[in-house]
Amino acid sequence: MSYVIAAGCCNDAACVDVCPVDAIRPRPGDPNFRTAEQLYIDPDTCIDCSACMFACPISAIHDGFELPDHLSDFAAINAEYFEEAPLDRRIVDGTPDSTSVPMGARIAVIGAGPAACYAVAELCRIPGITLTVLERLPTPFGLVRSGVAPDHPSTKQISTVFQSALQHPNVTCYFNVEVGKNVRLEELQRSHHAVIYAAGASGDRLLGIKGESLPGSHSARELVSWYNGHPDFVDNQYDFSQKCAVVIGNGNVAVDVARVLVSPVEALEATDMADQAITALRGSAIETVVIAARRGPAEAACTTSELLALCQVPGVEVAVIPEEVAGPGRSGQTASSTQLRKREVFSHLPDARLPADPGVKRIVFRFGVEPSEIHGNRKVDAVTFRRTGGRPAETETVECGLAIRAVGYSISRFPGVPFDESARTVANRGGRVIAEDSGKIQPGLYCVGWAKRGPTGVIGTNKECSLETVAALLDDLTFGRLPEPDLDMADMDRLIRSQNPRVVNIDGWNRIDAEERRRGQTGHPRKKRRKLLKLQEMLHHAARPDSEPDSSAPSGAKLPVAESNR
């Protein structure tokens, strides 16, 4: 039996590079790579060599003979992909040519999330290139740290790849440094041949309905950041005193939120979920979470693997309204195997109108409905939905104490970086930033990740996206299209530190990391990390000498300035 890619695939595509028989699809460069739910192994081509399993950064590949029972569906899921799209042999080489890159090139990267780290990992291995990574927080890895669900630790293993890149000798890290505040974009451009903007998406899409701003109406981004211990959201307050919560949208983030709200707290205690979130959820009265979306079950935005995993949460029943599942799909379109499998999974779920077993919590998927109003005097107490898809105009009101909008992130404008209003991304062509009005390429300015393509894809999608930008940058560097810096790095370093003496370097982050791991070992026996939640606490440990035994920042502690960033 062949190897099987199962739940949690990050689409990093490291497995594609090592497969000796080219049996894994889709590959970087394939038309559907950026939109695929996961990668798949062709069972008829696989030679059982196990190279892909060892290359997978998050351990999502399994020997088909040893596939755990809860992942048994994935053997068929992998095979079905190739029944619909038979294997082809078109070779796609996504590796940029770096043989003729001039020595001494300096590149700055704004952000330290997945897209930024993939770009750094590709560039740092090229002789003669030095990189400067600037991150607003004292901690790197972006949504890997603050967006991945706490009960998905295997997905977070990708951070080991990113950590290796950030620790490369050719990389200098400036964490706790905000571009636009502690250093201007123009100053980075003056001190580097090129600047890569990789700041991601910091806003939320809105529903545009009445009551959206009521207390108790929150974005999924805020809630996820809160329970993941993001310092900007650690003081947020959420009302879990009502029996029902509503999540609008049914993508992976919506599924994560719903699962966290009803999962046994005992299971969450073993994760790196923020302490204040565990405390709040321990006292939660929520028994039912309604996940509502305007399209049908075949078009559900969550991946099949996340849906299957949701159905296996202990003490939680996933239910539907059978008539909503059995209704027609989108007219004029042939359903893919992925869509058919999702519909099949939903069709076997119990009827939400029947009473659940005593003590069992519920997640109810609703299809073909969209919110028309969020009700409440001083806080949310209900959401009204209307039917979609050409059905009779009818409404339904769901009483709830919490309404979570999981309808997507939004990209914000950044001073000095051209913005494409129609695409809601940085204005760019293949990663090269272009002027908003003329479309003219802005020499030396690039973008990657969500800023480049919009908030789509999973963590590994950023690898192919970053490779495209890196290839464009190296091409421009090789052919002399980039401006020469007129500010040296020592001057830039002094400039940054004069604006912010509390710079956190890579060693400072390693001290934060070590302290979080140490605290994890002192609590739950299976807990590997207890996150530092307050900015000042992070900065204290980042600056603390390794020999200092104290594990908590003293009141009014003065933080020393690091002399070196390495």
Side-chain angles (χ1 to χ4, degrees), residues 43-209:
D44 294 330
T45 305
C46 176
I47 59 173
D48 301 338
C49 71
S50 78
C52 59
M53 183 178 70
F54 291 106
C56 179
I58 63 167
S59 304
I61 300 180
H62 303 261
D63 185 334
F65 284 112
E66 301 175 356
L67 201 61
D69 289 342
H70 71 283
L71 300 177
S72 59
D73 287 338
F74 283 91
I77 289 172
N78 278 245
E80 285 170 1
Y81 178 86
F82 295 95
E83 291 173 5
E84 186 173 289
L87 194 66
D88 67 84
R89 295 292 180 182
R90 181 172 54 87
I91 301 299
V92 177
D93 183 7
T95 305
D97 180 13
S98 58
T99 57
S100 56
V101 174
M103 297 292 289
R106 304 199 298 258
I107 299 168
V109 181
I110 301 173
C117 288
Y118 277 123
V120 170
E122 188 64 27
L123 288 164
C124 72
R125 65 184 183 85
I126 299 175
I129 287 182
T130 58
L131 293 112
T132 305
V133 178
L134 304 103
E135 165 60 47
R136 182 178 67 87
L137 295 176
T139 57
F141 309 145
L143 287 179
V144 173
R145 180 177 169 92
S146 64
V148 173
D151 57 351
H152 282 19
S154 62
T155 304
K156 299 187 180 189
Q157 292 176 17
I158 193 68
S159 62
T160 59
V161 175
F162 300 156
Q163 177 78 10
S164 177
L166 295 178
Q167 292 202 152
H168 193 279
N170 293 345
V171 179
T172 301
C173 295
Y174 289 85
F175 301 151
N176 195 43
V177 171
E178 185 173 354
V179 178
K181 179 180 178 181
N182 304 130
V183 61
R184 294 181 300 164
L185 175 62
E186 309 90 87
E187 291 163 340
L188 292 179
Q189 291 174 305
R190 287 185 57 200
S191 54
H192 296 81
H193 292 84
V195 176
I196 300 175
Y197 182 76
S202 58
D204 305 295
R205 290 182 59 190
L206 299 175
L207 298 170
I209 62 175

Side-chain angles (χ1 to χ4, degrees), residues 324-486:
E324 294 177 350
V325 174
R330 299 176 70 182
S331 60
Q333 293 188 2
T334 303
S336 67
S337 60
T338 298
Q339 291 175 322
L340 292 174
R341 179 168 284 274
K342 283 182 186 176
R343 182 188 286 275
E344 181 183 3
V345 172
F346 284 120
S347 69
H348 287 89
L349 296 179
D351 191 333
R353 293 167 300 192
L354 300 176
D357 293 336
V360 173
K361 296 183 178 181
R362 253 186 177 168
I363 294 174
V364 179
F365 279 88
R366 299 297 307 273
F367 300 103
V369 295
E370 61 181 358
S372 58
E373 184 176 349
I374 299 176
H375 304 276
N377 292 322
R378 296 184 178 180
K379 64 181 185 66
V380 170
D381 57 34
V383 179
T384 293
F385 293 93
R386 59 172 171 252
R387 287 288 175 188
T388 62
R391 300 183 184 185
E394 58 181 285
T395 62
E396 178 182 350
T397 298
V398 178
E399 294 184 359
C400 63
L402 196 63
I404 305 298
R405 308 181 308 275
V407 292
Y409 293 68
S410 68
I411 315 297
S412 302
R413 276 186 172 271
F414 188 84
V417 179
F419 194 75
D420 184 336
E421 287 289 352
S422 60
R424 301 301 300 172
T425 64
V426 170
N428 77 95
R429 190 180 303 127
R432 292 182 174 97
V433 175
I434 59 176
E436 298 173 55
D437 50 357
S438 65
K440 183 179 179 181
I441 291 174
Q442 307 294 287
L445 190 56
Y446 303 85
C447 60
V448 294
W450 284 1
K452 170 185 172 182
R453 68 182 191 276
T456 61
V458 293
I459 291 171
T461 312
N462 293 290
K463 183 175 183 179
E464 186 252 0
C465 172
S466 295
L467 278 174
E468 180 186 51
T469 295
V470 166
L473 188 157
L474 293 177
D475 188 63
D476 293 343
L477 184 61
T478 300
F479 290 97
R481 304 187 189 112
L482 302 184
E484 281 294 321
D486 62 4

